[in-house]
Amino acid sequence: FADGPVALPSGGPLYLQLKRWIEDAIHRGDINPGDALPSERDLAAKVDVSRVTVRKAVLQLVQDGVLVQRHGSGTFVAPPTQRVEQSLSQLTSFTEDMARRGMEVHAQWLERGLYLPSPEETIILGLSSGDQVARISRLRLTGETPLAIERASLSARVLPDPTAIGNSLYRHLDKTGNRPIRAIQRIRAANLDEENAHLLQVPVGSAGLNIERTSYLASGRVIEFTRSIYRGDTYDFVAELRIGD
Ligand code: 16G
């Protein structure tokens, strides 16, 4: 850290101010992956807070995966997450993509059930009046690392029991003869708000990718409308481009 007086960002409990200050220092490159954090005592003296406050801030940053603690040698800035390269030219499922890379995946459920559809869902999914919508929202992780938030909507006619999908929506759709064969995907840059940043375990305001996928059956019917938020620090979306006719 640079020498000189330290001004913590204002607002909220002191340990959260300190946590944000450390995160900002990492973003600015004042301290880099692999660098050791000053000792608890030195940091407390430098920022003029108690050691308990430092301990609380550091503990949270360790839990968030921003810092790592090595017993006996101290606390370090965690190495950046390995990036995932994702092809944009093939319609695949998250589980399949990760399996191909030998990565284990699991989900934390955020929402799953049948609901009255929003006007947007009614239009996109082509629902009739009285139809319900099946919503499945998941935080998708590999090991302890969250990668994406996915909020999918399907007609309750094709997914009457949203708990039936197990780990993979597409595998379930495959089994019931409803696997999409085509999709339109739109990707937009976003800065993660508090809720999504918290779920993805990155600082508020970090770069994210908002992805909307509308998937179609061979019949032309829309089967799935999914809004996802992928971590900008983790994903590269890659497409092969060819010269036109
Ligand atoms: C992908 C799709 C998502 C689809 C999911 C199914 C993007 C941006 N999104 O993550 O629309 O619902 O795969 O995965 O690629 P699953 O079969 O593992 O549940």
Side-chain angles (χ1 to χ4, degrees), residues 93-95 138 140 150 168-170 213 224 226 230:
S93 86
F94 189 86
T95 308
R138 296 170 283 178
R140 315 210 67 171
E150 292 198 327
S168 169
L169 172 64
Y170 278 18
R213 182 185 283 192
E224 168 207 17
T226 297
Y230 278 63

Side-chain angles (χ1 to χ4, degrees), residues 86 92-97 105 136 138 140 150 152 165 167-172 179 185 211-213 215 224-228 230 237:
Q86 171 75 56
T92 53
S93 86
F94 189 86
T95 308
E96 291 166 352
D97 285 334
V105 287
I136 45 174
R138 296 170 283 178
R140 315 210 67 171
E150 292 198 327
I165 70 157
N167 291 326
S168 169
L169 172 64
Y170 278 18
R171 208 172 290 156
H172 179 78
R179 172 114 188 186
Q185 191 158 293
I211 307 181
E212 276 178 19
R213 182 185 283 192
S215 310
E224 168 207 17
F225 175 62
T226 297
R227 283 213 165 101
S228 310
Y230 278 63
F237 286 91

Side-chain angles (χ1 to χ4, degrees), residues 23-41:
E23 285 168 341
D24 289 346
I26 295 170
H27 277 167
R28 278 196 307 270
D30 292 352
I31 42 170
N32 294 302
D35 285 354
L37 206 68
S39 73
E40 200 175 282
R41 193 187 331 118

Side-chain angles (χ1 to χ4, degrees), residues 14-26:
L14 209 49
Y15 79 95
L16 285 182
Q17 294 179 26
L18 176 61
K19 179 175 180 239
R20 231 178 314 138
W21 180 76
I22 296 173
E23 285 168 341
D24 289 346
I26 295 170

